[in-house]
Amino acid sequence: MKRRGGAAPTPGAPTEGKKGPSSWPMYSLVGTVAVACYLNGLNGDFVHDDIPAVTLNKDVLALNPFSHSFKNDFWGTPMADLASHKSYRPLTILTFRANYLCFGLQPVWFHATNILLHAAACILFTRVCLSIAGLKPPFATLAGLLFAAHPIHTEAVTGIVGRADVLACVFFLVSLLAYHGHPDGKCHIWISVTLGGLSMLAKETGVSVFLLNLAYDFYRHWPAVKKTIVEVRWNQETQQFANRAAKVLTSLGILLAIRLALLQGSLPKFSQQDNPTAFHPSLYVRVLTFCYLAAFNWWLLLCPATLSHDWQMGSVPLVTSMSDSRNLMTCFFFGVAVLLVIRSLCDFENQKHVPVVLGLMLLVLPFLPAANLVVTVGFVVAERVLYIPSLGGTLLVVYGIQMLWTSYSKHRQTIVCCIMLLLTTSCLRTVVRNRDWRSRESLLRAGLMTLPHNAKMHYNYANFLRDSARPELAKSHYHRALKLWPTYASAHNNLGTLLSNEHEAEHHFLAAIRYSADHVNAHYNLGQLYRKSNRTSESEHMLKRCISLEPRFTPAYIELARLRGPNDRSVSGLLRKVVILNPRDPYYSTIYAHWLLGKGQNVNALHYYWKALSICTSYQEAMIGASKVLRKFGQHSRLFQLVTRWQSILRIRRGEQPISPHVYLHGWQLKSELSHKAKAYDNCSTLLFGNRCTQSSSKTKKVAPAEESTTKWNRHTSNSSAKYHSMKQCKVQQKLHKQRPTTPLMVHHFLD
């Protein structure tokens, strides 16, 4: 489909029929800088949100079927689950899964993929600035360089979870280019719609590309639309625009309907600590604070000096009155925004300042889903959500530099110095910030230095100290978090787990329950505390309450079974429930099988041992349990087959060659021969050779069943025949000892 033939060429764009210089050097420069700025982030570990989203996500680790990536949220929880975060990003999950299948859980390859995607986004943005915004090639290159080195992007690029934003941005820009970037003025509408849908599948904010494409299309065709309105008569160009608009809006409506259907009738649940402003009862305070937060995000784009991976828990205090000095920043921001809007509206007629209009659209539209104005989100400030809006901020700044370059030709040397200083400081700030993302400890330390008044920073650092076996220092940071946020339920709960004084621990567990009535871990920990204190009834009450709050909380069932003891009839139902809740975990099936074996229910025990082995063929506890049951039943052939198979699986997993079954069979035959012949020749160790024969036999496998039978038999034999047969037995044993295979015959452990 073609646009109007009389469309004016984009300002600054190459003229048709006039071949300009090659643009590949500028793209190569932008891509190189984008990669170079983040090279020192390659050696970073999985930190912060990377752990639950990648290392613990069964969709990423290929433990769930491929189709589950389209049924679960970003964190691996089913979308239908009430506890689901409702963030639907299957395309990003599939890229994580591809990384894992190719390279395993090696963070360097996850980081490398993020960097390459960032380089692609920078190159595409340079293309947008050149072909759509109409910047001159040097300034389009400058825009790509500033975007590549912007420090606000470190969370999105160096943080592995930030791939969702980078990947969404890549499809966002390709969709924009497919719609508006063709040199002949063609609009590939369905390609653009498809790419917009992929951007939405990478992250929800990608849906804003539909609104951006339509808004910019409306701007470019405003003269024709205005003519239609004035003359009350359709023209060809307006009809084509209306046709495109209908297709875009229809596609957008279908995608939004599907996205709403994926919510499964429930919205995501956020807590007050996630977004304190959204939970404030006063509309006046909410409006003032949300407006200030929009200005604060704008300031982070212009001056990213203060960066943090977490802005929750009072990092940005609420704006509660008009006398707050921060309102001046809000007024200044909205004043500049109003001026840009007025300038853009005035440009609808002449269309001389296309970068201003496109930059404002890129800045505002992708940020709307995260502004708490359309929907409530689970964060106060998140640097990675500014990845796409920073396209607009960068475009506006570079266009301003281009205007200065044109208007003040005498000061170009000064402008060049300022540009070099800006690029250098941006690159250095990005490199320094990458170091903060190397490890969990470095990231938390950097967060504490930036936001020492953030209760969650102290809480997370205390968790790290607890995991690092530094409990005393962890306690101090838990206390600091509670001083900053006295109603922090999780801090009360975790502090209680470190206290040795039962009374103090109980106080903190009860405080956690008081401030958060549905805190499952606090109920569970309190139930454990009561059990250890022999307060059985109170412990059972807490554990039952825990199960009622979270019916799938497995540790509560285990603890309740332990509380009631192995002889209680209800333990069987509790353990069976645990197996049902964890159908893919062999550990719980084995626990239940052990309990059944202790109760003499050998057949049922064997069934659950088989169930555990069907989940994990090399699970040792289940293998040993099943072997014991088979030995009790006297099924030595099945036992031999089981152990042989298990040994082969272990050797294959270690990268070794499996041993032929006849080797194990030969060892078993030797075992049987020794067991039978010991009845006749077992006396050598005690009657004739003494310690010498005992030492020799200690190098071979002991034969417990034979020793029991020969004790009675020796009472009816004479001394002379015993000596003769003992000498013969020792010779036989020494001969067999020389011929025994060097490979350990593990089957003996289960036959004895």
Side-chain angles (χ1 to χ4, degrees):
M1 181 181 297
K2 292 185 178 182
R3 296 187 180 182
R4 60 187 176 92
T10 304
T15 308
E16 289 185 17
K18 187 176 180 181
K19 188 175 181 181
S22 175
S23 56
W24 284 111
M26 57 187 288
Y27 295 143
S28 301
L29 176 61
V30 170
T32 302
V33 172
V35 172
C37 286
Y38 289 95
L39 278 179
N40 68 322
L42 282 174
N43 58 353
D45 200 357
F46 294 106
V47 295
H48 195 41
D49 289 339
D50 303 341
I51 297 172
V54 179
T55 62
L56 300 179
N57 193 336
K58 293 183 179 180
D59 294 331
V60 173
L61 303 178
L63 298 177
N64 285 340
F66 179 83
S67 59
H68 281 213
S69 301
F70 298 92
K71 299 178 182 178
N72 298 341
D73 65 13
F74 187 59
W75 312 96
T77 306
M79 291 290 290
D81 197 321
L82 294 177
S84 171
H85 194 267
K86 304 297 182 182
S87 51
Y88 188 69
R89 303 163 194 173
L91 191 59
T92 306
I93 291 297
L94 291 179
T95 63
F96 288 151
R97 189 179 183 120
N99 273 132
Y100 172 75
L101 293 176
C102 292
F103 308 107
L105 280 179
Q106 300 183 37
V108 61
W109 296 106
F110 287 85
H111 286 296
T113 305
N114 277 24
I115 294 173
L116 292 177
L117 288 172
H118 174 61
C122 295
I123 294 172
L124 290 170
F125 177 55
T126 306
R127 179 63 184 170
V128 167
C129 292
L130 187 66
S131 64
I132 300 179
L135 292 180
K136 296 177 182 179
F139 293 97
T141 306
L142 176 61
L145 292 175
L146 286 176
F147 183 78
H150 203 306
I152 200 70
H153 299 156
T154 50
E155 182 175 357
V157 182
T158 312
I160 296 173
V161 166
R163 183 182 301 181
D165 297 88
V166 182
L167 188 61
C169 182
V170 170
F171 287 111
F172 184 100
L173 292 172
V174 179
S175 175
L176 182 61
L177 287 168
Y179 199 108
H180 300 286
H182 200 279
D184 298 333
K186 293 181 180 180
C187 176
H188 301 282
I189 184 70
W190 292 119
I191 295 178
S192 177
V193 166
T194 302
L195 292 167
L198 292 175
S199 180
M200 184 179 176
L201 291 178
K203 190 172 183 179
E204 293 82 356
T205 51
V207 73
S208 59
V209 72
F210 291 91
L211 299 178
L212 177 66
N213 283 333
L214 193 57
Y216 187 71
D217 197 4
F218 178 75
Y219 162 73
R220 295 297 294 161
H221 293 85
W222 168 246
V225 174
K226 181 181 178 182
K227 185 178 180 181
T228 299
I229 295 174
V230 172
E231 297 179 357
V232 196
R233 186 178 63 182
W234 287 91
N235 55 53
Q236 183 179 2
E237 191 174 348
T238 307
Q239 287 179 345
Q240 291 177 352
F241 167 73
N243 186 22
R244 290 193 299 272
K247 292 178 180 178
V248 171
L249 291 175
T250 302
S251 303
L252 176 61
I254 293 173
L255 288 174
L256 289 178
I258 295 173
R259 183 64 181 86
L260 291 174
L262 288 171
L263 293 177
Q264 303 286 338
S266 62
L267 295 174
K269 295 181 179 179
F270 303 116
S271 63
Q272 185 178 2
Q273 68 185 42
D274 296 329
N275 192 347
T277 309
F279 287 85
H280 199 279
S282 173
L283 177 63
Y284 171 76
V285 173
R286 292 201 302 271
V287 171
L288 287 179
T289 306
F290 282 141
C291 290
Y292 170 72
L293 289 175
F296 183 74
N297 280 278
W298 168 74
W299 175 249
L300 284 178
L301 290 178
L302 290 180
C303 183
T306 304
L307 299 176
S308 174
H309 68 283
D310 198 333
W311 292 87
Q312 298 179 0
M313 297 292 291
S315 299
V316 181
L318 300 176
V319 181
T320 57
S321 67
M322 289 297 296
S323 61
D324 195 316
S325 60
R326 292 175 294 173
N327 290 321
L328 295 175
M329 181 179 177
T330 303
C331 293
F332 176 74
F333 163 71
F334 279 99
V336 173
V338 169
L339 290 177
L340 288 174
V341 170
I342 294 174
R343 189 70 189 85
S344 300
L345 292 176
C346 294
D347 197 60
F348 267 58
E349 292 291 339
N350 301 322
Q351 299 191 358
K352 293 183 179 179
H353 301 282
V354 175
V356 175
V357 179
L358 181 60
L360 187 62
M361 290 179 180
L362 281 169
L363 180 64
V364 174
L365 293 178
F367 182 70
L368 283 178
N372 282 286
L373 300 176
V374 181
V375 293
T376 301
V377 295
F379 54 84
V380 178
V381 176
E383 294 168 12
R384 60 176 176 253
V385 304
L386 296 176
Y387 190 85
I388 298 180
S390 66
L391 297 169
T394 305
L395 180 57
L396 290 173
V397 169
V398 172
Y399 184 63
I401 295 174
Q402 179 176 303
M403 295 292 289
L404 291 174
W405 183 271
T406 305
S407 303
Y408 300 93
S409 57
K410 295 181 180 180
H411 300 86
R412 287 183 175 178
Q413 189 174 2
T414 304
I415 295 174
V416 170
C417 291
C418 293
I419 290 173
M420 295 303 297
L421 179 62
L422 179 61
L423 282 173
T424 303
T425 54
S426 297
C427 291
L428 291 177
R429 181 71 179 99
T430 299
V431 170
V432 172
R433 180 59 177 161
N434 287 337
R435 296 176 181 174
D436 296 338
W437 286 85
R438 283 185 176 180
S439 65
R440 181 185 176 191
E441 182 176 10
S442 62
L443 186 62
L444 292 172
R445 285 183 177 275
L448 280 176
M449 292 179 63
T450 304
L451 300 171
H453 58 284
N454 186 337
K456 193 173 182 181
M457 287 293 182
H458 289 277
Y459 168 77
N460 287 333
Y461 190 55
N463 289 341
F464 167 76
L465 293 171
R466 180 196 60 188
D467 298 340
S468 304
R470 289 181 275 178
E472 295 304 321
L473 192 55
K475 292 177 186 177
S476 65
H477 280 278
Y478 281 132
H479 283 297
R480 178 62 177 165
L482 290 174
K483 185 177 180 180
L484 294 169
W485 196 285
T487 61
Y488 200 169
S490 295
H492 279 290
N493 173 70
N494 289 12
L495 178 58
T497 61
L498 294 179
L499 297 174
S500 56
N501 188 301
E502 293 184 358
H503 180 71
E504 293 181 4
E506 181 183 6
H507 167 74
H508 284 287
F509 290 145
L510 290 174
I513 295 172
R514 181 168 64 254
Y515 297 130
S516 179
D518 57 349
H519 202 294
V520 177
N521 287 331
H523 286 86
Y524 173 73
N525 289 330
L526 191 57
Q528 274 191 320
L529 179 66
Y530 287 154
R531 181 184 64 81
K532 294 175 182 178
S533 304
N534 294 324
R535 298 161 67 175
T536 306
S537 59
E538 293 170 289
S539 175
E540 184 163 351
H541 172 73
M542 283 297 164
L543 294 173
K544 286 183 177 179
R545 173 64 178 162
C546 181
I547 292 173
S548 66
L549 290 172
E550 179 51 66
R552 301 186 62 84
F553 191 67
T554 300
Y557 292 96
I558 300 294
E559 190 69 17
L560 191 58
R562 185 179 301 170
L563 176 68
R564 294 179 177 177
N567 296 324
D568 194 291
R569 294 181 178 179
S570 62
V571 171
S572 177
L574 293 171
L575 296 179
R576 192 184 306 113
K577 180 68 174 179
V578 168
V579 174
I580 295 173
L581 292 176
N582 302 273
R584 303 301 304 167
D585 194 332
Y587 172 74
Y588 297 107
S589 297
T590 305
I591 285 181
Y592 187 36
H594 286 340
W595 184 86
L596 291 171
L597 186 61
K599 293 299 177 183
Q601 301 181 32
N602 298 331
V603 176
N604 291 335
L606 185 60
H607 169 75
Y608 283 96
Y609 283 134
W610 290 143
K611 182 179 178 66
L613 289 173
S614 67
I615 299 170
C616 179
T617 53
S618 61
Y619 194 65
Q620 183 173 352
E621 291 297 321
M623 232 296 294
I624 294 175
S627 300
K628 289 180 179 179
V629 176
L630 292 177
R631 188 180 62 186
K632 284 187 176 183
F633 289 160
Q635 299 183 9
H636 288 177
S637 58
R638 292 184 65 189
L639 173 58
F640 169 74
Q641 183 183 17
L642 174 65
V643 177
T644 304
R645 179 171 173 267
W646 183 56
Q647 286 290 311
S648 299
I649 291 173
L650 291 181
R651 293 184 65 86
I652 291 173
R653 292 198 174 187
R654 291 195 298 262
E656 303 172 1
Q657 289 294 329
I659 298 176
S660 177
H662 78 270
V663 175
Y664 293 101
L665 183 59
H666 179 61
W668 194 20
Q669 289 173 345
L670 290 177
K671 172 71 178 181
S672 301
E673 291 177 8
L674 291 176
S675 298
H676 290 296
K677 292 184 178 181
K679 297 179 180 180
Y681 309 114
D682 189 54
N683 233 4
C684 76
S685 60
T686 56
L687 299 180
L688 186 60
F689 291 97
N691 293 336
R692 179 182 176 185
C693 193
T694 302
Q695 292 171 2
S696 177
S697 63
S698 65
K699 296 179 182 179
T700 60
K701 298 295 179 180
K702 295 182 180 180
V703 190
E707 290 176 358
E708 294 177 1
S709 59
T710 53
T711 303
K712 297 180 180 179
W713 181 81
N714 285 335
R715 298 174 183 174
H716 301 88
T717 57
S718 62
N719 292 335
S720 59
S721 62
K723 292 180 181 180
Y724 171 77
H725 291 299
S726 298
M727 293 173 61
K728 187 175 181 180
Q729 170 65 5
C730 283
K731 292 180 181 179
V732 172
Q733 286 184 354
Q734 291 169 1
K735 183 178 180 180
L736 292 178
H737 179 68
K738 293 179 181 179
Q739 297 177 353
R740 71 176 290 194
T742 57
T743 305
L745 303 176
M746 298 300 296
V747 69
H748 294 171
H749 294 292
F750 304 101
L751 290 175
D752 288 346

